[in-house]
Amino acid sequence: MVRQAAVIGSPVAHSLSPVLHNAAFEALGLPWTYTRVECDAAGVEPLVRGLDPSWAGLSVTMPGKRAALAVASSVTPRATLVGAANTLVPAPGGWRADCTDVDGVVGALRAAGGFAGGSRAVLLGAGGTATAALVGLASLGVRSFSLVVRSAARAAEALACAERVGVPLDLVEWAGADFADLAASSDVLVSTVPPAATEPIADALAEAPCVLDVVYHPWPTPLARALARRGRSSATGLDMLLHQAFGQCEQFTGRPAPRAAMRAALRAATGDILPLPLDR
């Protein structure tokens, strides 16, 4: 049987996931296909329920990650901790939900960010990427988190995630934050906010010893430029995308991901704007 997989989300036309997974299928000698499917959160359940046995799995992007968790018949522990799923694969009785976004954070920080360990993290923004970052950093031994947000009302999901993980999470109001002090006193800083938000504070944020800036388009970001002036680089959202795809590929195919082939395809598709290291 020729298998198929897809990324679902809305909007999804920009997704680079087909680049990664079709390269993986080709490298593995599998005549499979991977496409994009426009699907909002309300459409996740009927779409998944209607899939036939030819489907090997789904990558799930916004806004359907919580809906993917809800439709699953089984859920991995880390997806439970994050409170969202970016991966669905067939399982006995239905579908298993996982969150390889955690792999994305960990892999990006280790390979591109040079993260060697530490106990204190600063997170900018409280969206879904922030919760995956919290779980990933906690798995690396980080035990103290500061979350910088414009409004405490936006932090409910991150606070609930921290409680599930069992780590303290201090809320810091954006308007009154001392970004230089926060960055300098951290072991790692993760920015999940748009470039415009970091432009006036980029030099202060560059005080952090290790940085993950989840934005990669347009490149370079203000934070990346500030780090470059210091002769340093950061882990990026493109690194995250690459590293989260490895685990998805392995769950879809049951084989080790052809990492070098996937990286080469992603670099070619993005004009080689970033080195996308695999190991450090």
Side-chain angles (χ1 to χ4, degrees), residues 222-276:
L223 181 50
R225 288 195 297 269
L227 288 164
R229 288 193 291 270
R230 299 172 180 234
R232 296 168 50 209
S233 60
S234 64
T236 72
L238 205 60
D239 294 291
M240 280 184 58
L241 177 68
L242 177 65
H243 285 270
Q244 66 81 31
F246 296 151
Q248 283 190 337
C249 174
E250 291 172 358
Q251 292 185 51
F252 294 164
T253 67
R255 302 188 190 181
R259 297 186 174 210
M262 294 171 76
R263 178 183 64 174
L266 187 58
R267 289 189 64 181
T270 55
D272 288 338
I273 59 170
L274 290 164
L276 304 179

Side-chain angles (χ1 to χ4, degrees), residues 104-210:
V105 171
V106 171
L109 283 171
R110 283 178 166 169
F115 184 66
S119 62
R120 177 168 169 72
V122 173
L123 306 177
L124 307 183
T129 304
T131 54
L134 194 154
V135 173
L137 286 166
S139 75
L140 293 175
V142 175
R143 287 294 174 264
S144 176
F145 292 83
S146 291
L147 180 72
V148 189
V149 289
R150 295 194 183 279
S151 168
R154 301 183 182 183
E157 293 174 15
L159 287 167
C161 177
E163 185 173 355
R164 290 190 295 269
V165 174
V167 294
L169 181 66
D170 298 324
L171 291 184
V172 179
E173 185 179 354
W174 189 283
D178 184 336
F179 289 100
D181 181 66
L182 283 167
S185 63
S186 73
D187 296 299
V188 58
L189 182 143
V190 178
S191 173
T192 70
V193 299
T198 60
E199 188 161 11
I201 56 172
D203 285 321
L205 299 179
E207 295 286 340
C210 178

